[in-house]
Amino acid sequence: VQRLVVKIGTSSLIHANGKINLQAIDQLSYTLTGLVNEGKQVILVSSGAIGVGMGQLGLAKRPREIQAQQALASIGQSELMTVYQQRFAVYGQKISQILLTHDVLDFPESRKHVHHTMEQLLEWGVIPVVNENDTVAVDELDHRTKFGDNDQLSAIVATRSNADLLVMLSDIDGFYTKNPHKFADAKLIDVLHEITESSLRQAGGAGTELGTGGMVTKLKAAQSILANNKMMVLANGANPSIIFKIMNNEPLGTLFV
Ligand code: ADP
């Protein structure tokens, strides 16, 4: 693997009490910097802006109104980037911010510019930190067209940037035969070569208050990764240094290939 995209979900970045999980961000910064120092090119797709905004304002529940969510994203995004900037700087790693919307990637002209910018950043050894631009993406927060808490965005970024691997970090060890939070007999699926209707049924809905994507959007992401002959690993982001093990081909999480 020469170029990889790492997607980290809200549940891995924010504690149940709403505070930013600084330890996770620190470990993520350390790990991704290590990979860049080994000569790899790394793109980070990070969720969490709305969750961080909620923490800043002390809100326990995600508000329903779009404008409130967008305002929270605006608050949270800059706070989140500040934290990333600080933690990556400790390890001497430069990062940048790329905020994307669906239409940016739909139009060939803007898509081309994003592509060239990304290539330039990677060539310079910078880690682009990508997120959906929730503040302007009016209908993106709506479930009809939403990327799904960045799951599908990360797949689009991975395929468009021709990355060899998408590492998706969540609050769960991988994809199970059914939701393990509800069923004690759920079994971890080690490898999946195809996303079928029955896999999508096994996925159920989002499991947490903060996470919006759930397993379905992760499987949809895996679907487009497989369609492009790329690989994806879904693993637990509690300790982001798990990425080192994934890069060492240790069998963990669910490998989609
Ligand atoms: P993130 O914030 O990391 O994107 P989500 O909460 O959106 O995470 O999605 C992960 C959750 O999906 C799990 O914690 C679990 O509750 C739920 N889930 C539903 N079905 C499954 C399944 N078959 N295997 C694993 N997790 C599942």
Side-chain angles (χ1 to χ4, degrees):
V1 173
Q2 187 48 37
R3 180 178 285 189
L4 75 155
V5 174
V6 174
K7 186 262 170 177
I8 187 151
T10 301
S11 50
S12 310
L13 292 170
I14 298 172
H15 290 295
N17 66 7
K19 295 253 183 298
I20 297 192
N21 187 341
L22 292 171
Q23 220 176 340
I25 292 188
D26 187 58
Q27 215 181 92
L28 185 66
S29 307
Y30 170 82
T31 304
L32 299 187
T33 301
L35 295 176
V36 172
N37 291 340
E38 286 171 15
K40 312 246 182 271
Q41 295 181 318
V42 182
I43 300 168
L44 174 62
V45 176
S46 176
S47 301
I50 293 176
V52 171
M54 284 166 58
Q56 288 270 300
L57 294 195
L59 304 180
K61 257 197 157 10
R62 190 170 167 139
R64 286 179 155 271
E65 307 78 34
I66 294 284
Q67 65 184 41
Q69 294 190 29
Q70 296 189 302
L72 287 170
S74 168
I75 296 168
Q77 180 66 24
S78 73
E79 170 71 10
L80 188 59
M81 286 310 293
T82 302
V83 175
Y84 274 129
Q85 197 88 56
Q86 287 169 346
R87 299 323 301 173
F88 274 104
V90 168
Y91 302 107
Q93 177 61 47
K94 292 188 173 41
I95 62 168
S96 75
Q97 173 181 257
I98 297 185
L99 296 176
L100 295 175
T101 47
H102 245 321
D103 50 344
V104 165
L105 296 173
D106 285 344
F107 287 110
E109 193 62 23
S110 50
R111 187 165 72 216
K112 192 178 78 191
H113 286 292
V114 172
H115 178 73
H116 289 155
T117 304
M118 197 86 90
E119 290 298 323
Q120 179 66 82
L121 290 163
L122 293 172
E123 194 186 303
W124 282 337
V126 174
I127 298 179
V129 182
V130 180
N131 193 9
E132 185 178 8
N133 194 349
D134 284 330
T135 301
V136 300
V138 185
D139 49 13
E140 252 85 45
L141 288 166
D142 180 12
H143 283 286
R144 269 177 304 131
T145 47
K146 181 150 172 55
F147 284 131
D149 200 31
N150 280 338
D151 290 337
Q152 287 166 91
L153 175 67
S154 67
I156 294 169
V157 168
T159 49
R160 289 275 156 74
S161 65
N162 203 20
D164 313 292
L165 173 70
L166 170 61
V167 175
M168 197 169 286
L169 299 178
S170 185
D171 63 347
I172 194 121
D173 287 343
F175 178 51
Y176 287 77
T177 49
K178 41 189 135 170
N179 188 347
H181 290 143
K182 292 188 184 147
F183 302 94
D185 60 339
K187 296 217 165 28
L188 182 72
I189 298 170
D190 302 322
V191 187
L192 205 58
H193 302 294
E194 192 189 8
I195 311 299
T196 60
E197 281 299 318
S198 92
S199 344
L200 290 169
R201 267 197 302 279
Q202 291 173 321
T208 62
E209 185 64 43
L210 290 166
T212 55
M215 261 314 126
V216 175
T217 50
K218 288 171 183 47
L219 289 193
K220 295 234 164 100
Q223 218 161 19
S224 66
I225 290 289
L226 291 176
N228 287 280
N229 288 317
K230 305 288 182 195
M231 285 186 293
M232 173 175 138
V233 173
L234 174 63
N236 199 319
N239 299 305
S241 61
I242 196 171
I243 299 168
F244 282 135
K245 295 184 181 168
I246 294 170
M247 297 300 279
N248 279 332
N249 296 320
E250 287 183 35
L252 45 84
T254 303
L255 170 65
F256 299 87
V257 68

